[in-house]
Amino acid sequence: MTAVTFPGSKAVTEPAALSVTDLAPKPVPANRLILSLFPGIDLFSRPFEALGFSVVRGPDLILGQDIRHFHVPAGVFAGVIGGSPCQEFSGLRREAPTGYGLEMLYHYTRILQEAQPDWFLLENVARVPNIVKPDGYSWQRFELNQAWFSDVSRLRHFQFGHSDGLTLLNPPYFVGRTGEHGAATASDDRSFEQLKYCQGLPVDFDLPSFTVEGKKRAVGNGVPLVLGSVLAQLVNQYVYGVTCQANHSVTRPGQETVTHQAAIVTGRPQQNVTPRACNCGCGRVVVGKAQYHNSACRKRVQRARSAA
């Protein structure tokens, strides 16, 4: 500690300067650099950062920025993630659409075309249209429900693609699991503490410069941490070949701490046959002669044919 005296004032003690060792850079592999679009307070990218990804956040209205004026160079980002505004596709909406939701989807795909990443991942509600995928990319669409992994119900659809034209994720699927609590939303009338619980945030999380309503809106607009964690692990496994995650402690709502196992890098999964998406449209992977991921998928198609 160093004492500094200013004219007409008392001595001020300053901390010693950091050593060069403390300031040493921490290299991040180029294939772990990803771009997060429509980030808000960016709950979506947090699980990716926990797994060693470096995240660059794009413009957002929360900072007075406009994605319409945002452009990126090609070949810089390995992945692009994001959840474009979903309000116009929500089943809860009663007003006529303005076209804003479709416009923001367009800008997501425009930036994909510019960035030319190895892979992309889009989050939105069930009624969102399919995006126009970049030429040459694989593409799948699948659903995940937060109730499959927690006591909160929140159904979301995801669209994933890879530049090799082949790689697909193989997300989990559960039947009959429901949540005790409803999903957090931007216009939620529950307390900030309750919304933090629903989104999986620790009890001490705060946004000090926001009003209470602003905090609730920002948190309610985010991707629940548990869904982000499932997706980050899927990308790690099927894109990067990491089958187990690094030892780290995660604090769940109520301050329960859970420790995960160490990472094992095996290389990207090698398959003797080309994976395909299930014929029912659920987006899950089938291989060989299989047409459906499970019996529920087969029954879904049978019901649709009977109703036609």
Side-chain angles (χ1 to χ4, degrees):
M1 305 293 282
T2 304
V4 179
T5 302
F6 296 94
S9 65
K10 297 179 180 179
V12 178
T13 302
E14 294 183 339
L18 292 173
S19 68
V20 174
T21 302
D22 294 328
L23 297 174
K26 181 181 179 181
V28 175
N31 69 349
R32 290 270 170 171
L33 180 65
I34 63 176
L35 173 64
S36 178
L37 297 176
F38 309 101
I41 59 171
D42 212 13
L43 301 187
F44 197 2
S45 75
R46 288 183 173 216
F48 285 88
E49 289 180 316
L51 295 183
F53 289 87
S54 182
V55 180
V56 174
R57 294 173 176 87
D60 196 275
L61 290 176
I62 205 169
L63 297 176
Q65 300 163 334
D66 192 338
I67 197 170
R68 298 179 182 93
H69 310 302
F70 182 66
H71 299 274
V72 296
V76 172
F77 298 105
V80 173
I81 66 173
S84 63
C86 64
Q87 288 81 2
E88 296 212 341
F89 310 120
S90 172
L92 300 176
R93 185 179 177 88
R94 296 296 176 263
E95 299 85 3
T98 65
Y100 180 74
L102 290 175
E103 183 188 1
M104 293 301 102
L105 275 181
Y106 161 76
H107 285 290
Y108 181 90
T109 57
R110 171 186 64 78
I111 292 170
L112 285 184
Q113 297 282 1
E114 294 179 2
Q116 299 177 26
D118 293 335
W119 56 271
F120 66 85
L121 181 63
L122 173 70
E123 177 267 351
N124 213 290
V125 296
R127 296 187 181 189
V128 71
N130 294 336
I131 65 169
V132 178
K133 71 178 181 69
D135 291 340
Y137 281 68
S138 62
W139 179 86
Q140 69 182 130
R141 177 175 179 148
F142 58 90
E143 66 183 34
L144 291 176
N145 194 327
Q146 188 179 350
W148 298 347
F149 316 101
S150 72
D151 63 352
V152 178
S153 180
R154 183 169 184 153
L155 178 67
R156 284 295 182 267
H157 277 225
F158 300 90
Q159 299 181 53
F160 171 85
H162 197 285
S163 62
D164 65 5
L166 298 173
T167 298
L168 299 173
L169 307 181
N170 194 12
Y173 182 76
F174 299 98
V175 177
R177 294 191 181 183
T178 59
E180 178 183 349
H181 304 283
T185 66
S187 57
D188 214 298
D189 59 3
R190 288 172 291 183
S191 70
F192 181 50
E193 299 301 322
Q194 289 173 306
L195 297 189
K196 288 194 296 182
Y197 176 87
C198 290
Q199 296 292 65
L201 290 163
V203 295
D204 60 351
F205 176 84
D206 197 11
L207 299 168
S209 61
F210 286 55
T211 65
V212 173
E213 288 305 312
K215 293 178 184 183
K216 291 168 60 176
R217 189 179 306 112
V219 168
N221 273 329
V223 177
L225 291 183
V226 67
L227 291 185
S229 180
V230 170
L231 292 159
Q233 303 231 17
L234 286 170
V235 169
N236 233 10
Q237 179 177 356
Y238 290 98
V239 176
Y240 296 91
V242 179
T243 55
C244 296
Q245 307 314 320
N247 278 329
H248 62 282
S249 294
V250 176
T251 302
R252 292 177 172 172
Q255 300 287 11
E256 176 189 356
T257 300
V258 179
T259 301
H260 296 275
Q261 293 183 339
I264 301 174
V265 181
T266 61
R268 290 183 57 188
Q270 299 298 314
Q271 297 174 330
N272 296 324
V273 293
T274 301
R276 295 172 287 106
C278 174
N279 282 356
C280 85
C282 70
R284 286 160 182 84
V285 171
V286 297
V287 294
K289 296 180 180 180
Q291 298 183 46
Y292 305 106
H293 179 74
N294 56 33
S295 60
C297 297
R298 186 180 297 107
K299 291 177 181 177
R300 186 179 299 116
V301 172
Q302 290 171 348
R303 287 194 298 268
R305 287 173 179 170
S306 299

